Amino acid sequence: LTDMHDGRKKVFMQSIGQKLQLKIGVILGGHARFSMASQLSFSVIPLGAAALDPVESWDTPDGWERVYILDANSFWLSFHHNHRERSESACLHFGLQLEVHPVTDVPRMMSCFSDAKSPTDALPDRLDTAGSTTKMF
């Protein structure tokens, strides 16, 4: 969970010369009563360049997710919460998820190996709680 005051939040990020894939998710969930996800804008801005467009973008009932390819060394991740009125608070609380990894890892992350197991093979088909030692509070 993160928050912003005065309607702006910036995070500096360096890629150390690797081409990276950034996936960002914003979840308002229980905080939706304070603001709508559409009121929160987000930009990835390489130093000395214009903001990047996301490679992929989608909305969920509680927020949104975007994917960017970072092909420079330094970036600003910038959030902005617009005011609808000058007297309105620009403070906002939201869940933030970041996933960053080298682009070269994507093919391995997307492939399934022959020794992969299905969830039904790894998990029991029923749970026996009769012998449980768990104590109720």
Side-chain angles (χ1 to χ4, degrees), residues 79-128:
F79 296 90
H80 184 240
H81 179 225
N82 292 320
H83 295 271
R84 288 179 294 205
E85 299 176 14
R86 285 174 39 134
S87 62
E88 181 182 52
S89 172
C91 294
L92 178 67
H93 301 273
F94 57 93
L96 176 64
Q97 297 173 316
L98 287 173
E99 176 185 321
V100 182
H101 50 80
V103 169
T104 55
D105 288 354
V106 173
R108 288 192 319 241
M109 294 170 69
M110 300 291 290
S111 66
C112 291
F113 301 104
S114 61
D115 60 351
K117 297 184 189 250
S118 75
T120 55
D121 293 339
L123 300 171
D125 58 352
R126 65 188 172 121
L127 185 59
D128 181 13

Side-chain angles (χ1 to χ4, degrees), residues 41-90:
S41 63
F42 174 74
S43 302
V44 176
I45 308 164
L47 285 183
L52 300 176
D53 290 327
V55 176
E56 294 184 49
S57 177
W58 59 95
D59 294 328
T60 67
D62 294 324
W64 48 259
E65 294 184 49
R66 297 181 187 153
V67 176
Y68 294 87
I69 300 298
L70 309 180
D71 198 11
N73 286 327
S74 302
F75 303 87
W76 282 105
L77 308 180
S78 177
F79 296 90
H80 184 240
H81 179 225
N82 292 320
H83 295 271
R84 288 179 294 205
E85 299 176 14
R86 285 174 39 134
S87 62
E88 181 182 52
S89 172

